[in-house]
Amino acid sequence: MTVEVRLPTVLRPHAGGATTVSAEGTTIGEVIESLVGRYPGMSGQVLTPEGSLHRFVNVYVNDDDVRYLDQLDTKVADGDTVSILPAVAGG
Amino acid sequence: MAYHRSVLDLIGNTPLVEVSELSPNPEARILLKLEGQNPGGSVKDRVALAMVEEAEKEGRLEKGATLIEPSSGNTGIGLAMVARVKGYKLNVVLPASVSPERRQALEVWGASIIESPGPEGSNGAVRLAERLHAENPEWVFLYQYANRANPRAHYEGTGPEIWRDCPEVTHFVAGLGTSGTLVGAGRFLKERNPKIQVWAVEPPAGENVDGLRSLDDGYIPPIFTELGGPEILDRKTIANPRDSIVWTRKLADVGIFAGISTGAAMAGAIRCAESVPSGVIVAISADGGWKYLSTGAWTDEIDVVVERAKRIIYF
Ligand SMILES: Cc1ncc(COP(=O)(O)O)c(C=O)c1O
């Protein structure tokens, strides 16, 4: 599966300034693995050393937060859009 | 003679209005709870009053005390009204990127505005308020993001009102800012009926926060973590500015003049309606449309409005 990944401002320098990149995988975990494999600078930023999602990172598949789906096991389909966003204060 | 002693007595007890004509699923009804009917114009009147009364009870607020609060608008506006009535002074730390009407509303009730950098969003306002409070320890910092009176206002008000007016509710949808609405009303509703699904809708806030140096500068409201937010939410979705504006406009087509975050909540309610065979969805309309007229949301060309909306905070 090929998905489009939208990167937040803070991660763009690790991908040569790109706002969106494509990545491969059948789950969110695999997509992030493929992303980090290609842009090693992102590794400590998105995942913890234990391999779970960083506390201040939200990942969405087509606008749905994966923490409330199947976390890193959330399935993706060809053409899905995956967005990575920092957790910030609202309100 | 039938009358109220104080404008503060008008807070809460907001009406539910059916908007099922906008539902994509004839078996899924949608009802909006109109928090814009509160006297200060938003859901945050409840929170402002609850936080001030709690601080008074704890003896933290002496006569004529000065409050400081970071707010993108509505909490500040609610606090400004409550503070005026009760004789306190208020400093609001407001991101530069809010609509001019929010700023004007604060001035109506005499609040002082301290501007925080627009590109840092609400994160920047929180940080600046913390610093100012450290420099002025005599100011009272109610801090809506960590103050349990915030979700309690919804646990004791918003939630019970929904349950009283619509015990048939199957899904509860609300915008996510401090998380007070979702954590408080969501918990109340789940205690009454554990089958009720709670959906959070957020704007793509992190997209526009360029002031963030690294992801370690992120922020999660303490009340969300401490009060079991992750267990209360069943789903969390982003509503992009375009969908939020589109649904804000469609609401006007059925007569409802609501703010842009209501359009976002409505977009979430529509996704919810599409995904269930049947149900009764109650969504929160956090405020009315008045404070967003300058964005041209109802009148200008949609692409222009969407670009404008990306640059302002409407939650
Ligand atoms: C217009 C508007 N919508 C939604 C919200 C979110 O509410 P809460 O802070 O309870 O999560 C807020 C406040 O943060 C708001 O001002």
Side-chain angles (χ1 to χ4, degrees), chain A residues 90-91, chain B residues 42-44 47 72-75 102 144-145 150 154 175-182 261-262 286-287 292 314-315:
Chain B
S42 88
V43 67
K44 293 294 187 172
V47 173
S72 59
N74 280 331
T75 301
R102 290 194 179 193
Q144 57 168 338
Y145 295 91
N150 169 2
H154 297 290
L176 179 68
T178 65
S179 79
T181 311
L182 283 153
S261 89
T262 303
D287 60 6
Y292 311 93
Y314 49 82
F315 259 62

Side-chain angles (χ1 to χ4, degrees), chain A residues 11-36:
Chain A
L11 290 184
R12 289 175 199 163
H14 301 296
T19 16
T20 59
V21 295
S22 58
E24 310 290 320
T26 58
T27 64
I28 284 295
E30 289 175 18
V31 167
I32 292 175
E33 223 171 274
S34 113
L35 202 63
V36 168

Side-chain angles (χ1 to χ4, degrees), chain B residues 60-279:
Chain B
R60 287 173 67 202
L61 273 176
E62 280 168 27
K63 213 167 170 305
T66 297
L67 301 166
I68 174 133
E69 190 67 19
S71 166
S72 59
N74 280 331
T75 301
I77 293 165
L79 276 175
M81 176 181 70
V82 173
R84 239 314 132 95
V85 172
K86 290 175 170 280
Y88 304 119
K89 294 192 254 328
L90 172 67
N91 296 317
V92 176
V93 183
L94 192 71
S97 48
V98 302
S99 67
E101 293 96 327
R102 290 194 179 193
R103 172 185 280 279
Q104 289 169 323
L106 286 165
E107 286 164 352
V108 166
W109 285 293
S112 305
I113 297 169
I114 301 167
E115 208 167 88
S116 65
E120 293 178 21
S122 298
N123 271 29
V126 172
R127 270 199 302 269
L128 181 55
E130 281 170 343
R131 208 181 75 217
L132 291 170
H133 181 237
E135 289 166 10
N136 302 275
E138 72 282 8
W139 291 354
V140 178
F141 189 17
L142 296 172
Y143 195 22
Q144 57 168 338
Y145 295 91
N147 192 321
R148 293 186 180 206
N150 169 2
R152 197 181 313 122
H154 297 290
Y155 184 83
E156 292 174 357
T158 320
E161 290 168 27
I162 292 171
W163 186 248
R164 177 195 69 200
D165 295 341
C166 184
E168 302 85 355
V169 57
T170 59
H171 294 76
F172 174 59
V173 181
L176 179 68
T178 65
S179 79
T181 311
L182 283 153
V183 166
R187 175 178 297 281
F188 179 88
L189 292 170
K190 284 198 158 176
E191 282 174 3
R192 287 300 178 283
N193 175 4
K195 292 210 194 87
I196 294 173
Q197 297 282 297
V198 177
W199 285 44
V201 184
E202 53 184 355
E207 223 162 67
N208 303 322
V209 181
D210 294 328
L212 219 62
R213 270 166 292 120
S214 95
L215 289 172
D216 292 319
D217 289 340
Y219 186 84
I220 299 171
I223 50 171
F224 184 71
T225 321
E226 289 166 14
L227 297 176
E231 288 75 49
I232 292 167
L233 300 195
D234 296 290
R235 199 73 179 255
K236 176 147 92 59
T237 68
I238 287 183
N240 63 47
R242 179 172 297 268
D243 288 345
S244 303
I245 303 286
V246 164
W247 285 103
T248 303
R249 289 187 175 189
K250 289 193 185 176
L251 283 170
D253 291 341
V254 299
I256 293 177
F257 180 49
I260 301 173
S261 89
T262 303
M266 194 62 194
I270 296 296
R271 273 172 91 135
C272 181
E274 282 166 345
S275 74
V276 295
S278 67

